[in-house]
Amino acid sequence: RSDGMGTSFGYPWIALPVCIACCSGGVYNIVYAFGFGYGLSMTANGVLAYLNFDQTRFKTSDAIIARLGHIGGYVAYGVRLFIFLYQRHVALSFSRKAAEMQTRSDTAPLGSKIGISVVVGSLIAAYQFGVFYHVKSSKKPNIITWIGMGLWVLGLTIETIADYEKMAAKAAHPDSFVSTGLYSFCRHPNYFGEILYHLGMFLNGLPACSTWKEVVLSSLTPAAMTW
């Protein structure tokens, strides 16, 4: 059952079928794989990491806090994204666009929708590597750990504020350019916030990596999502 590092058999590879299942809504609507599936998959990544995190291995509270913070970053992002997308999906101002996306999805080949769902689920499952190496490592956190945590918290905060500002602006003026709030300082503050989030999540776990292979695997999905 255990590999001696507090992790259960099948972890982190169990994240692959779990995340693909979370993105399976893309078979009905392709956008669901990128949206709701993304949120569910990130939440699942955090839950899986938490279930396989043996806190008794660590003697200092900062090591535990650093890892719990990293795990929390997955859950916070996933839950936040899912709730926001649901609120936007049921908003009257989004109904026309939602109908258009559903129509486009209905005309797409089933094989394409299955393929997209599998690819997206696999990509988000690979996000598990960063926190997996973090929870299994015995290394102490350093300044990079805390900078990373601060960056993802800041990025998630900016993205959340920007998303709701845009949704409110579109509800009032559906066809108008959004130029208030954070959008008065930056054209795409939501994307800027997401970039900070992914960079922060990578840095949060980076000091725990022991080899270049671990660094590369931990960076794959954050780099892909930023690009």
Side-chain angles (χ1 to χ4, degrees), residues 195-209:
I195 290 172
L196 287 182
Y197 169 81
H198 293 304
L199 175 60
M201 287 292 282
F202 169 65
L203 293 177
N204 197 166
L206 179 60
C209 293

Side-chain angles (χ1 to χ4, degrees), residues 51-114:
L51 292 176
N52 289 279
F53 177 38
D54 183 7
Q55 299 183 33
T56 62
R57 295 174 50 240
F58 302 95
K59 297 180 180 180
T60 59
S61 59
D62 61 337
I64 296 175
I65 293 172
R67 288 160 175 83
L68 288 178
H70 198 182
I71 291 170
Y74 287 83
V75 177
Y77 185 91
V79 171
R80 198 288 307 182
L81 179 62
F82 189 92
I83 291 175
F84 168 72
L85 290 176
Y86 175 77
Q87 292 175 329
R88 188 182 68 173
H89 189 74
V90 299
L92 291 177
S93 58
F94 193 72
S95 59
R96 184 178 65 182
K97 187 172 183 179
E100 292 174 353
M101 290 189 298
Q102 185 63 61
T103 299
R104 287 197 297 269
S105 182
D106 290 341
T107 59
L110 178 60
S112 297
K113 291 188 282 190
I114 293 175

Side-chain angles (χ1 to χ4, degrees), residues 11 29 39 45 69 77 137 173 220 226:
Y11 178 73
N29 188 323
N45 278 339
Y77 185 91
S137 172
H173 306 286
L220 287 178
T226 300

